Amino acid sequence: MSTAIVTGQPVPGSSLESDLRSLGFDVRVAADASEAETLLATVPASHRVALVDARFVGHPHALRLGLTDPRFPLAAVPGAVTAQATARQALSRALTRETTAGGGTAVAVDSLPDRLVTALDADYGEVHRPELGSLVATVPADPQTRNEARQAVAAVDDEAVRLRSAVKSRDGFFTTYCISPYSRYIARWCARRGLTPNQVTTASLLTALIAAASAATGTRAGFVAAGVLLIASFVLDCTDGQLARYSLQYSTLGAWLDATFDRAKEYAYYAGLALGAARGGDDVWALALGAMILQTCRHVVDFSFNEANHDATANTSPTAALSGRLDSVGWTVWLRRMIVLPIGERWAMIAVLTAATTPRITFYVLLIGCALAATYTTAGRVLRSVTRKARRTDRAAQALADLTDSGPLTRLLTRGRPGKVRLTVLAPLCAALGAVVLVGSAALFGASWTFVVAAGLYVLFSAEAVERPLKGALDWLVPPFFRAAEYSTVLILAAKADVPGALPAAFGLVAAVAYHHYDTVYRIRGGAGAPPAWLVCATGGQEGRVLLVAVLAALLTASQFTVALTVLAVVIALLVLAESIRFWVSAGAPAVHDEGETA
């Protein structure tokens, strides 16, 4: 429930009260600040409350942006201020001070909301002020300025602005020019019929799963249908975010669903293509798993780099300055966005290749494209890191430590070590050497006790890499090295097992572990830190899982190893899904303002 308190004498002919009611507010009128304070005290503490100057003139969407966005405890536009339950006390204190400033008498209500915003800025901190662009929001001081403000309102199409603002300001070429021009109207259609972003997100997931099932038929008709349905799923994927922005229906659960379903849709589609190819006698499970590993590692590079530099000080570099200059040239912006093969371009490429070629060709092109994109983005991030003079914070170091997913073995090996100064490149160097030893031994020796020894060395390298806070210029590379080592090891061992079902079981295991790592990222973004320690221990940590898989491969036959991978995948999936769902649907879970991944 929401309540709007209109302060001051109503203006004849004003549509303010009807506009507020159309936004879901219960409207009450206060003649002065003292009466507004009395009315505020009667509004339940759990309700949103807004104070609006009775002389306000502006677009309804300006009020919607300023007063109904659920992501911000305090928000304001000229002539109006709102507070959610968590910020009600701050608003009450500011209003009380405003009332008592008049010596116990009623204080003039002229610009009362604006005076409250000034007080809240000083007392509570930053008050969110949405960018209004061409929208009007003002409190005219006299009839002439009121008439001018009304003319300015009439000159701007409120609905057109609302539709434009529903589209992300920064998106890929394919999404911007091939999807958003019409998906915004689908979003409006959904809003007018009471559909929620979560419902559209779920529809997108179901469409993608049907696409994967169509691909799994292994027929040309199935592949064509799969390509069409994959594009339809992406249209709905764009629509859910546009619907959220159009109607300001942001939610914690919605952010989690949107973030995780994108990965689930893409990786389920990879599995569908692999199943379809198998029906035609072509085994491409290794390619499907390789594509999933490469795509996940690309994301980990992005996540780790961003977290390492999220709040770094003196965070400048010549490379970043050059990037900014390139962005000032129109065509380079689109070229650089397309080079990284963002989700729109990637899904369009997969859809077209599925319909026109074979799963093997689709995966070959996907792997080459993603490899080139990963090389480009990683090289750019490395150059930025070595040329900038940034000082990483404790928060950044903790975020990177959480992203490493280090388990009990690492904590045991690093416990009680004396403090020492280390070279800034030691952490990523240790992680890289450990990854090379592990993956190289898996490729050379396969399921053997020699490989188990290599896995033990990897555990030691991993512990050395995270022994000290990850504040070095390139320490953000440690989590990607760990992900590549663990995932690639599972792929190689399953491929060398050379028995039916080994690679699909490996695909399931990597998917379950990758979900755990994505979930960690979104928790950190939401300010909740890593998953609980018991979950990291229960899943073994990345080094524990590597050692366990190595021992299982050495002890068991190929068929038994396949069963072991399947059991391990199911156990990890159940653990991480149960905890993740519990966390994200709980009332205390933080909001994640995710505008979509660039890759």
Side-chain angles (χ1 to χ4, degrees), residues 292-500:
M292 181 167 68
I293 291 172
L294 182 54
Q295 189 57 37
T296 303
C297 289
R298 285 184 64 199
H299 283 136
V300 175
V301 167
D302 292 340
F303 297 149
S304 297
F305 178 80
N306 291 335
E307 288 303 324
N309 296 282
H310 175 72
D311 51 3
T313 57
N315 196 11
T316 59
S317 77
T319 308
L322 174 61
S323 177
R325 287 195 296 272
L326 288 175
D327 279 344
S328 64
V329 183
W331 66 270
T332 66
V333 174
W334 294 116
L335 178 63
R336 295 172 67 218
R337 291 186 190 179
M338 293 173 70
I339 286 174
V340 301
L341 206 61
I343 188 170
E345 277 76 356
R346 191 169 69 251
W347 282 27
M349 180 184 72
I350 294 171
V352 171
L353 290 173
T354 299
T357 64
T358 65
R360 180 171 290 273
I361 293 176
T362 301
F363 281 123
Y364 279 151
V365 176
L366 178 63
L367 285 166
I368 293 171
C370 286
L372 292 175
T375 301
Y376 170 78
T377 55
T378 305
R381 283 162 170 72
V382 169
L383 284 174
R384 290 190 183 199
S385 298
V386 299
T387 58
R388 69 176 20 139
K389 303 296 182 181
R391 292 185 294 275
R392 271 75 183 186
T393 63
D394 291 337
R395 178 209 171 276
Q398 184 58 54
L400 289 180
D402 293 336
L403 288 174
T404 64
D405 191 29
S406 298
L409 286 177
T410 294
R411 287 197 289 273
L412 180 64
L413 291 170
T414 57
R415 182 179 301 167
R417 289 192 183 182
K420 61 181 179 181
V421 178
R422 73 175 181 196
L423 297 175
T424 57
V425 297
L426 185 58
L429 182 61
C430 285
L433 286 175
V436 170
V437 168
L438 182 71
V439 176
S441 298
L444 290 173
F445 305 112
S448 66
W449 289 107
T450 302
F451 174 64
V452 173
V453 173
L457 290 175
Y458 172 77
V459 172
L460 296 177
F461 275 117
S462 298
E464 183 64 30
V466 300
E467 181 186 3
R468 297 291 173 262
L470 299 176
K471 293 186 176 182
L474 296 175
D475 283 1
W476 56 269
L477 285 169
V478 173
F481 281 140
F482 286 173
R483 297 296 85 79
E486 180 182 1
Y487 299 163
S488 299
T489 297
V490 175
L491 167 60
I492 293 171
L493 292 177
K496 281 183 167 291
D498 197 24
V499 294

Side-chain angles (χ1 to χ4, degrees), residues 522-542:
Y522 295 124
R523 290 186 191 227
I524 293 173
R525 282 185 170 183
W534 71 262
L535 181 63
V536 177
C537 289
T539 56
Q542 60 89 19

Side-chain angles (χ1 to χ4, degrees), residues 210-219 222-223 225-227 269 271-277 279 354 359:
I210 296 172
S214 298
T217 63
T219 63
F223 288 147
Y269 191 82
L273 279 178
L275 288 169
R279 286 180 176 272
T354 299

Side-chain angles (χ1 to χ4, degrees), residues 9 57 63 69 184 201 277 286 314 399 426 431 444 458 464 586-587:
Q9 296 300 320
V57 174
L63 285 173
D69 196 321
R184 69 184 73 182
T201 301
L426 185 58
L444 290 173
Y458 172 77
E464 183 64 30
S586 67

